[in-house]
Amino acid sequence: MTRPDSTPGPRPSPRPSSRTRDAFALVAFVLALLALAAGFLWTKGAWRAVIRESPNLIADWPGGAWLFGIMAGVLAVAGAYGGLWAADALRGDETPGRVARRAAKGVCWAVPVIVTAYIISALPGRNCSSSSPTCRQVDGAFPALLAYAVTAAALAWAAYRVHSTREEQRRAAHRTRLRRLRKKGKGKSREAR
């Protein structure tokens, strides 16, 4: 007895071919990239307009642009360090722990991104005419950027050195503990494992 689906020749496929799926996926990917690029450019332009039209926070900061840059550098490093700490400290497999960890990391990493974007947006535009009011430089932008870069670099280097020193001390204490256990015969050497 022959079955009706065992006839020779290609069977009709209920799904579209893989080439059709690939073409649709490629078109969707390109459209998504274009939408992201348009959203980024619109957001960038809106952000610059807000910076230029808002009161001059950099020049009016108590202590001037230099102190604003120093404060921005401290905030950026503190936010980045807090993001790294939140990523390491809040461990958990349950959903509320993961949600809390992601929220803490997002808030901590948003601080340096926003501060950096604010200072960079205060600089004059690259392809703008100097007579345009939307392309003007915010007073004190260059000194603030210089103070921000120096402060952020110095504090990030110091935080890295402290972190790496603590990590090395922790590893040395662990090696010493294992060495003591091996002397007593309670610890296994790595080769025996």
Side-chain angles (χ1 to χ4, degrees), residues 1 15 57 63 87 106-107 117 174:
M1 172 175 206
R15 295 188 297 163
L57 183 62
V107 167
H174 183 68

Side-chain angles (χ1 to χ4, degrees), residues 2-193:
T2 59
R3 295 188 333 211
D5 62 345
S6 64
T7 60
R11 282 195 243 169
S13 174
R15 295 188 297 163
S17 70
S18 65
R19 286 186 183 189
T20 306
R21 280 191 313 244
D22 290 346
F24 279 125
L26 182 64
V27 168
F29 180 72
V30 168
L31 288 176
L33 281 180
L34 289 175
L36 282 173
F40 172 74
L41 292 175
W42 182 82
T43 304
K44 181 181 170 193
W47 179 259
R48 279 191 178 261
V50 166
I51 299 298
R52 304 238 185 293
E53 299 301 323
S54 66
N56 193 352
L57 183 62
I58 294 175
D60 295 340
W61 192 264
W66 290 98
L67 197 60
F68 180 84
I70 291 170
M71 181 274 318
V74 169
L75 273 178
V77 172
Y81 191 73
L84 292 173
W85 176 81
D88 287 341
L90 300 173
R91 294 284 180 211
D93 292 335
E94 66 277 353
T95 302
R98 280 188 278 161
V99 170
R101 184 172 58 243
R102 288 181 182 155
K105 284 192 301 188
V107 167
C108 289
W109 283 106
V111 171
V113 168
I114 290 172
V115 168
T116 305
Y118 185 86
I119 290 179
I120 289 176
S121 295
L123 296 172
R126 242 168 64 189
N127 298 323
C128 288
S129 63
S130 58
S131 61
S132 174
T134 60
C135 292
R136 69 175 176 82
Q137 173 186 341
V138 175
D139 296 331
F142 283 115
L145 179 65
L146 182 62
Y148 167 74
V150 168
T151 303
L155 287 177
W157 178 79
Y160 170 76
R161 292 297 303 152
V162 167
H163 179 71
S164 62
T165 302
R166 285 182 181 165
E167 187 67 25
E168 184 58 38
Q169 288 174 348
R170 188 183 65 74
R171 286 185 191 144
H174 183 68
R175 283 193 304 267
T176 305
R177 182 178 155 272
L178 286 178
R179 201 174 301 125
R180 280 191 213 132
L181 286 173
R182 281 190 210 119
K183 280 184 180 180
K184 292 180 181 179
K186 295 182 180 178
K188 293 182 180 178
S189 68
R190 292 190 182 264
E191 293 81 35
R193 287 185 192 175

